[in-house]
Amino acid sequence: QTLRIYVAAPELWWDICDEDWGFAYHLERWFHRLLLEHLPAVVTASPDEADFVYIPHCAMNIYLSWKQARHRQASSPEAPEHGEGDQLHSAVLRDVDEKYLTAVVAPAAQQNAAARACVARTPRCRLLFVNMAFGRNELPSFTAAVGDAAVFVTTAGASPRLQGKAWRQASLQGTQWRAQCSCRSHCQPVLSLGPLDIVVPFNTGHNSTSGLTGLGGRRPLLAFFAGSNTSCSRDELVRRWSEEAALREHGVFVSGRSLKEPAFHRMARRSVFCLVPDGHWPATQRLASVVAKGCVPVVVSNRVELPWDDLVDWRQASLWLPESTIRELPEVLRRIGRQEIQSLQAHLPLLAEALDYHSTRFHLLLLASLAARRNTPPEGAL
């Protein structure tokens, strides 16, 4: 049966929603355009036959614009807007939750006849919110207003649902499981997702080249990471492995500074493994970026939930390490045999397509994820 989505409250799509804040932050805008311009067979004019009633909003554009305005008004304008030293994130996010999503978006949904009828038909119909980088734990007021039965499509990740997943320890035989985190906040119980929410990757300019994953030739480096210091695990990674000795003795290149695209491209294509630690959020655009370069992603995180978790077998093309293994990183990675590395590399092209917003495979996974949530009770986590 064809998936049916009804678009309600179109007046919520303000002019600011179409402003360009960089490709990485445009999940909300991308989905809005995809649905209205490219999926006519999915959109229905009849709310009574809808599987989902989509309530458009652009919380990320609101967040970025409000944050920029607050930054300009701040007494210390030299403080960074994003990344290391960001002092505004929590306050602006609270305003987005309470003054935009809860005060504007939620009432519009509650007053919309199609949305109310959809809620009355749950689980045959659910409200649908596309919510970029903010999960339910960061939006307590909005989450309370819309309820658990609504579905979020989000890049947020971070859920205790991953505890005990078999793929977590793939290829790590002989490595003792230790749950220590790089800092206390990374070990705190977090529920940023509801049981029916869908995790998608960040949009990134890197992953538009997913067809090039087979290129790269020799990969003399064992592992590579370069990025700004936006989390305590990144800080630990840089402190332990950014010295020249790590490169000389272990083939591990770690830098606490971001690289420009050409340099990032070259380093990722020269590395067997690319490290993907938490950033400002547990999920980052780095994952899709390195996969598109044919570099096996090594997810270093105690809390991230990866895209398409219920549809993609991540064991086939990636490794996962808890943050406690940062201290023994080269030793752990050298335990991965050549045959297993080749197997992981062989699966990267398909994974790259699954993470590429330009790929048909990505679109099909999104539709399949929504279809899997039709008529599913909230307690039935997928």
Side-chain angles (χ1 to χ4, degrees):
Q1 183 180 355
T2 302
L3 186 71
R4 297 293 186 185
I5 300 176
Y6 179 82
V7 181
E11 68 276 5
L12 288 172
W13 197 255
W14 300 346
D15 289 344
I16 193 175
C17 297
D18 285 316
E19 290 184 1
D20 188 351
W21 286 88
F23 52 78
Y25 302 111
H26 279 171
L27 172 62
E28 294 155 7
R29 191 174 77 168
W30 174 86
F31 182 87
H32 186 263
R33 183 172 297 173
L34 175 75
L35 189 63
L36 296 184
E37 298 180 11
H38 302 290
L39 294 176
V42 172
V43 177
T44 177
S46 172
D48 294 336
E49 66 178 24
D51 301 298
F52 296 93
V53 169
Y54 165 55
I55 310 295
H57 71 76
C58 56
M60 179 54 71
N61 273 19
I62 298 293
Y63 167 84
L64 292 171
S65 62
W66 287 4
K67 192 175 183 185
Q68 184 183 72
R70 290 276 292 273
H71 174 74
R72 290 172 176 169
Q73 297 168 1
S75 57
S76 301
E78 69 277 4
E81 290 182 67
H82 310 292
E84 185 179 8
D86 179 2
Q87 302 296 316
L88 296 176
H89 171 73
S90 296
V92 175
L93 179 55
R94 183 172 59 251
D95 284 348
V96 170
D97 179 26
E98 297 174 357
K99 298 178 182 179
Y100 173 62
L101 289 172
T102 305
V104 177
V105 176
Q110 293 161 355
Q111 295 164 15
N112 183 275
R116 290 201 307 271
C118 177
V119 172
R121 292 195 292 119
T122 302
R124 297 192 304 273
C125 180
R126 299 188 187 281
L127 299 185
L128 176 63
F129 298 94
V130 179
N131 219 47
M132 191 49 204
F134 308 126
R136 294 176 183 265
N137 68 308
E138 297 182 291
L139 305 171
S141 296
F142 184 57
T143 298
V146 301
D148 293 337
V151 173
F152 285 12
V153 177
T154 178
T155 60
S159 170
R161 286 194 287 161
L162 282 185
Q163 298 298 329
K165 289 254 178 171
W167 76 271
R168 282 178 150 244
Q169 297 197 53
S171 307
L172 298 180
Q173 289 80 6
T175 299
Q176 182 180 2
W177 172 264
R178 295 189 299 274
Q180 292 96 330
C181 305
S182 296
C183 58
R184 181 178 298 179
S185 64
H186 285 206
C187 270
Q188 290 176 346
V190 172
L191 177 60
S192 70
L193 302 174
L196 299 177
D197 291 343
I198 298 170
V199 181
V200 298
F202 269 78
N203 193 5
T204 166
H206 300 295
N207 65 356
S208 62
T209 58
S210 61
L212 302 179
T213 48
L215 303 180
R218 267 184 83 245
R219 294 183 179 267
L221 294 177
L222 175 66
F224 161 62
F225 170 82
S228 56
N229 185 5
T230 54
S231 71
C232 60
S233 54
R234 289 192 182 196
D235 181 64
E236 182 181 4
L237 185 64
V238 171
R239 282 190 289 104
R240 289 183 179 274
W241 300 111
S242 63
E243 301 294 333
E244 185 176 339
L247 178 60
R248 184 176 62 253
E249 297 173 13
H250 303 291
V252 173
F253 180 91
V254 171
S255 172
R257 296 183 178 181
S258 298
L259 300 180
K260 293 184 178 180
E261 169 60 14
F264 177 90
H265 181 103
R266 288 193 301 270
M267 293 302 295
R269 290 213 176 278
R270 297 184 67 227
S271 306
V272 176
F273 298 108
C274 286
L275 308 176
V276 185
D278 289 7
H280 195 76
W281 293 285
T284 70
Q285 61 177 303
R286 181 175 303 273
L287 178 62
S289 300
V290 301
V291 170
K293 303 298 184 288
C295 190
V296 176
V298 179
V299 179
V300 183
S301 177
N302 286 43
R303 55 186 187 151
V304 72
E305 178 152 3
L306 297 180
W308 317 124
D309 179 60
D310 54 317
L311 297 177
V312 170
D313 185 356
W314 283 89
R315 293 171 298 183
Q316 295 187 9
S318 69
L319 300 176
W320 183 89
L321 296 177
E323 291 173 3
S324 58
T325 59
I326 290 176
R327 69 199 68 172
E328 52 184 337
L329 190 63
E331 177 187 351
V332 171
L333 293 180
R334 290 203 181 280
R335 293 176 190 166
I336 313 302
R338 181 174 179 81
Q339 185 174 357
E340 183 171 0
I341 290 174
Q342 291 175 340
S343 176
L344 293 168
Q345 291 171 332
H347 287 92
L348 287 176
L350 288 179
L351 179 59
E353 291 182 11
L355 303 179
D356 187 344
Y357 278 58
H358 302 82
S359 170
T360 300
R361 187 179 300 276
F362 180 101
H363 303 159
L364 292 176
L365 282 169
L366 176 58
L367 295 177
S369 295
L370 287 169
R373 285 149 176 82
R374 291 189 295 195
N375 300 319
T376 305
E379 63 273 12
L382 299 176

